[in-house]
Amino acid sequence: MERENALTSAVGTTEPSRVWSHPTLGLHALVDTAGAVRLGEPGQDWDRLVPLVEVTATGHGRMWSGERFIETAIGDRLTYRDHETVREGSRERTTIRLADPMTGLLAEVTLEASAGAGFLRSRVRLVNEGVEPVRLESVTTLTLGGISSADAGLDDLVLHWADNDWLAECRWRQTPFRDQVVPLSRSAHGHEGRGCFERCSQGSWSTGRHLPMGALTDRDGGAWLWQIESSAGWRFETGEREGTAYVALFGPDDAHHQWHQTLAPGDEFHTVPAVLVRTESGGLDAAFAILTDYRRSIRRDHSDHRRLPVIYNDYMNTLMGDPTTERLLPLVESAASAGAEVFVIDAGWYDDDAQGWWDSVGAWEPAPDRFPGGIEEVLDAIRKHGMTPGLWLEPEVVGVRSPLAHTLPPEAFFRRGGVRVTEHGRHHLDLRHPAARAHLDDVVDRLVGEWGVGYLKLDYNINIGPGTEHGTESAGAGLLGHHRAHLDWMNGLLDRHPQLVLENCGSGGLRMDYAQLAVAQIQSTSDQQDPLRYPPIAASAATAAAPEQAAVWAYPQPDQNLDEIAFTLTGALLGRIHLSGFLNRMDDERFGLVRSALSVYQDIRAEIGAAHPFWPLGLPGWDDEWIAHGLRGVRSTYVTVWRRELDGDGPGSVDRALAVPHLRGARVEPVVLYPATVDAGVEWVAAEARLTVSLPRAGTAVLVRLGGS
């Protein structure tokens, strides 16, 4: 470890001085003659840049009132104190300290980067070094100004964001920046506008509305891509400042998340992390490649990321929360025969209640009527067939009819205004309370330590709202506190049970963020049950999670034709397979099609964990007829192509040209890996880096490998 200190002020020169540089991003932390610090490039107009940290606090608001949370009074007053750089291998971490003379706030901005990598991760620690309390209302994690296109300023920028919803995850949108941030003739008014383009979370589903991500691109292939790592409130904004664009990234705030936090003298607050990616060419594909590598670098190491076992789950379009020994044993046998390596018993295994299980959960004991010989009989059968047993769990909730709702102390639950919060028949545990955590530790240690369960699907099916109030804390601060305790609890499980695999699920993809995915191994991408509606989700899943963490449902059924079976299976082959369906009822031909898909996956999965995603037709629209998603591996490039016809059968055989620019000029041989049953055609034109795929019918899909000839 190498440490570098610079404790003397950089103030005093006539031009802004550098205290930190990131050559790959072309960014520098600059200090002006008054001690203000901003990220930018030397020679840029200083007024186009944004203070390194922006803070609103009660009594200390903004200097220009509106919807923006930049141009804050505290941010304007913060001045450089010192900085320190620590190097560990290729990773560099610089902490820049700023101080506000009026409130006594110290802001420590920690910027993390790796040599040659095009990303910057940021976090902020605020400490009250003053003599009076400070009531925080918003704090930026990362700010950046001065963004523009070299030739056309803001007129050439394109804004990207992702809408998210139950059954409709990862729907990326794009629009010219000027459609959202219109020119206002600043020279005529002397001020910037009061508004901005913003996206934020609402309540405890961090991705219930949008992914915590956005991007700006230009026509030359340059891209700025950002990600906020929070399950407890986040927001980003972008707008115009002095003829260029700025971006500001936040965790929770008072206006959007009912978050405020009072720092007494000596108290401190840490923001959630965020990352900014920059590429000068290659557009979003290149930016997502950098982001994918970054995600791999911050997550907890686990063997699952390298093994990528095939997972069978009994839920989707199959048992749907109604498992019994009688129903499960034939599925166990057929799943193992098909090639599954993990078998997960999903919701309902604890249900012996005549009124239903939804509002009675919490004890997580097996239902005797469902398992006359005990649930161990099924778990043993899974192991005897060479698979790892898994169970579904929704740990953070307790049903209103559960005995736990009365035996756990009131302080172990979310409360607001002194009243226990109830949502959709459930209460919510606060994992900061020792009784709540002890209860869940006992549950998991029983399931894993005594029953031998090796996989837990951790679901999360309610949005509990802004959070919980404990004493004088705000609801948003309570949610952030619980969120951090939840991550600590998950890490504790993996410390005690290192081989345990945790799946992160939130009614599918409604809590799909890299606070969760830095700890959990796998992400459920959707609960979408219509195989024709899943392709845009499956194709875009690698924007939200590394491919080896993105689980896609494949639910072939015995009454489907061969095209339909292949269609649902093909979509999962470049990520993680969540297999389901009544495999035990299939004839040999249909079952063989399932088995061949898993065989192909097991042949190629060793490349997925180091591959980079790309989109030969661009990120898909929800109703697109043709959708394509690729992985650029070390040895080969793989492309999945879907052809849909949502309103009918469509015409006969149709060709579609796909751009694969990273293989321009390469001699490759395109091969259809799956399915062998579809009469697809593929053709490669090296000089144009063009792959042409011909699919004979709507409702068909193929996986193509582009390897050396």
Side-chain angles (χ1 to χ4, degrees):
M1 182 173 69
E2 181 183 347
R3 185 180 296 271
E4 174 185 293
N5 289 283
L7 302 180
T8 57
S9 175
V11 180
T13 59
T14 57
E15 293 294 327
S17 303
R18 303 185 196 181
V19 294
W20 171 88
S21 294
H22 190 315
T24 305
L25 290 181
L27 288 181
H28 310 274
L30 305 171
V31 185
D32 75 354
T33 55
V37 183
R38 300 182 180 186
L39 284 183
E41 300 176 4
Q44 275 188 308
D45 186 335
W46 184 258
D47 290 337
R48 292 181 169 182
L49 306 181
V50 184
L52 187 60
V53 183
E54 296 276 26
V55 180
T56 61
T58 307
H60 305 269
R62 291 161 291 184
M63 298 183 296
W64 179 241
S65 188
E67 301 301 313
R68 304 176 181 215
F69 283 79
I70 63 166
E71 299 172 323
T72 63
I74 292 177
D76 187 61
R77 294 196 302 260
L78 285 169
T79 54
Y80 175 83
R81 177 183 287 182
D82 59 51
H83 76 279
E84 177 183 75
T85 296
V86 176
R87 296 183 178 89
E88 297 177 346
S90 63
R91 185 65 65 96
E92 179 180 283
R93 184 172 65 253
T94 296
T95 299
I96 302 172
R97 298 179 184 89
L98 312 169
D100 173 24
M102 182 175 294
T103 62
L105 278 179
L106 168 71
E108 290 187 345
V109 185
T110 299
L111 305 175
E112 296 182 60
S114 291
F119 71 83
L120 172 64
R121 193 186 202 213
S122 179
R123 289 172 290 180
V124 175
R125 172 177 175 257
L126 290 181
V127 183
N128 185 356
E129 296 184 337
V131 297
E132 298 291 337
V134 179
R135 186 177 182 271
L136 304 174
E137 295 182 354
S138 71
V139 186
T140 57
T141 290
L142 181 63
T143 60
L144 178 67
I147 300 173
S148 65
S149 170
D151 298 327
L154 295 180
D155 294 338
D156 198 33
L157 290 183
V158 177
L159 175 63
H160 307 258
W161 73 96
D163 292 338
N164 219 56
D165 198 357
W166 185 53
L167 313 179
E169 290 86 349
C170 303
R171 299 185 336 272
W172 280 86
R173 313 280 185 151
Q174 70 175 52
T175 185
F177 183 81
R178 277 303 193 197
D179 282 359
Q180 298 292 330
V181 182
V182 298
L184 298 175
S185 301
R186 184 190 188 286
S187 60
H189 304 96
H191 285 289
E192 301 288 359
R194 299 184 186 273
C196 59
F197 178 89
E198 65 175 2
R199 288 292 181 265
C200 64
S201 64
Q202 178 178 303
S204 60
W205 273 335
S206 59
T207 55
R209 307 170 77 189
H210 313 283
L211 294 183
M213 304 174 65
L216 291 171
T217 60
D218 61 41
R219 65 184 177 191
D220 296 324
W224 292 99
L225 173 66
W226 56 87
Q227 166 184 284
I228 305 170
E229 297 158 18
S230 172
S231 295
W234 59 266
R235 175 179 173 272
F236 72 76
E237 67 176 71
T238 182
E240 182 174 2
R241 182 178 173 88
E242 295 284 350
T244 59
Y246 76 90
V247 173
L249 310 181
F250 303 79
D253 65 52
D254 192 29
H256 300 86
H257 309 99
Q258 297 184 33
W259 176 89
H260 57 263
Q261 184 158 333
T262 298
L263 297 187
D267 285 354
E268 62 184 57
F269 169 72
H270 296 252
T271 68
V272 302
V275 64
L276 185 69
V277 166
R278 168 62 169 165
T279 179
E280 294 185 357
S281 62
L284 285 182
D285 283 358
F288 275 115
I290 297 170
L291 184 62
T292 299
D293 285 341
Y294 162 79
R295 288 167 168 171
R296 289 167 174 156
S297 75
I298 64 165
R299 69 191 179 194
R300 181 187 179 112
D301 183 55
H302 198 287
S303 61
D304 181 78
H305 298 143
R306 295 174 288 278
R307 295 187 301 112
L308 311 192
V310 174
I311 302 155
Y312 182 94
N313 182 301
D314 69 30
Y315 185 81
M316 190 61 70
N317 291 347
T318 310
L319 299 188
M320 299 296 289
D322 194 17
T324 65
T325 299
E326 182 180 14
R327 293 175 182 139
L328 285 167
L329 291 180
L331 291 174
V332 169
E333 183 175 357
S334 59
S337 180
E341 295 149 308
V342 177
F343 189 102
V344 179
I345 304 171
D346 207 279
W349 58 270
Y350 39 77
D351 174 30
D352 247 354
D353 194 310
Q355 299 181 56
W357 58 263
W358 182 263
D359 58 359
S360 64
V361 297
W364 309 112
E365 297 283 355
D369 288 349
R370 292 185 175 275
F371 307 101
I375 196 171
E376 291 86 354
E377 178 184 0
V378 181
L379 300 177
D380 287 344
I382 293 169
R383 280 187 287 268
K384 287 177 182 177
H385 282 86
M387 297 183 292
T388 299
L391 287 176
W392 181 96
L393 200 65
E394 196 171 357
E396 293 162 87
V397 301
V398 170
V400 296
R401 294 192 301 109
S402 171
L404 273 297
H406 308 288
T407 58
L408 288 173
E411 296 81 12
F413 296 94
F414 273 38
R415 296 181 297 169
R416 293 198 289 272
V419 178
R420 186 182 299 188
V421 180
T422 303
E423 176 72 7
H424 198 179
R426 275 100 175 275
H427 303 307
H428 197 291
L429 292 173
D430 185 342
L431 286 181
R432 296 174 296 177
H433 195 281
R437 180 155 178 166
H439 158 62
L440 290 184
D441 281 342
D442 288 345
V443 168
V444 174
D445 290 347
R446 169 167 47 87
L447 302 186
V448 178
E450 297 179 21
W451 297 4
V453 169
Y455 183 108
L456 288 176
K457 176 179 179 177
L458 303 181
D459 210 342
Y460 188 65
N461 286 308
I462 60 171
N463 187 334
I464 203 62
T468 180
E469 300 163 346
H470 181 71
T472 60
E473 76 177 352
S474 64
L479 182 62
L480 181 58
H482 162 76
H483 155 61
R484 287 171 166 165
H486 178 232
L487 296 180
D488 185 67
W489 174 72
M490 291 169 63
N491 273 307
L493 298 185
L494 294 169
D495 289 342
R496 297 197 305 277
H497 308 288
Q499 299 306 310
L500 177 65
V501 175
L502 299 180
E503 176 190 337
N504 181 50
C505 182
S507 279
L510 300 187
R511 193 163 65 172
M512 187 161 43
D513 61 70
Y514 259 86
Q516 297 289 121
L517 285 171
V519 182
Q521 285 68 61
I522 301 173
Q523 173 66 51
S524 175
T525 56
S526 188
D527 278 354
Q528 176 57 249
Q529 297 179 60
D530 183 349
L532 284 177
R533 284 295 185 188
Y534 215 129
I537 303 170
S540 299
T543 65
E548 65 273 17
Q549 292 182 273
V552 174
W553 285 104
Y555 28 58
Q557 299 295 348
D559 59 350
Q560 291 177 336
N561 62 41
L562 298 184
D563 278 351
E564 291 168 334
I565 289 174
F567 189 88
T568 184
L569 287 162
T570 303
L573 297 181
L574 292 185
R576 295 299 296 273
I577 298 179
H578 266 178
L579 183 66
S580 198
F582 290 104
L583 308 183
N584 56 309
R585 302 177 187 175
M586 288 184 172
D587 60 29
D588 290 345
E589 187 177 25
R590 286 168 172 78
F591 191 78
L593 197 55
V594 176
R595 189 156 45 194
S596 66
L598 302 193
S599 178
V600 167
Y601 180 77
Q602 288 160 345
D603 285 343
I604 70 172
R605 63 184 171 185
E607 291 199 68
I608 293 175
H612 296 130
F614 68 100
W615 292 268
L617 296 175
L619 290 169
W622 187 243
D623 294 321
D624 284 357
E625 178 184 0
W626 287 83
I627 293 172
H629 165 231
L631 285 184
R632 180 179 181 178
V634 175
R635 296 187 299 272
S636 299
T637 291
Y638 300 91
V639 180
T640 299
V641 184
W642 296 262
R643 179 187 168 197
R644 301 188 298 170
E645 180 64 45
L646 299 176
D647 300 320
D649 295 332
S653 184
V654 178
D655 295 342
R656 188 59 190 258
L658 312 175
V660 191
H662 68 270
L663 292 179
R664 183 176 303 277
R667 294 185 59 189
V668 300
E669 180 180 346
V671 177
V672 174
L673 294 183
Y674 185 83
T677 56
V678 66
D679 46 341
V682 291
E683 180 184 2
W684 173 248
V685 180
E688 300 175 15
R690 185 182 74 243
L691 173 68
T692 299
V693 176
S694 175
L695 289 178
R697 294 170 297 280
T700 53
V702 292
L703 172 63
V704 179
R705 179 173 61 200
L706 299 174
S709 57

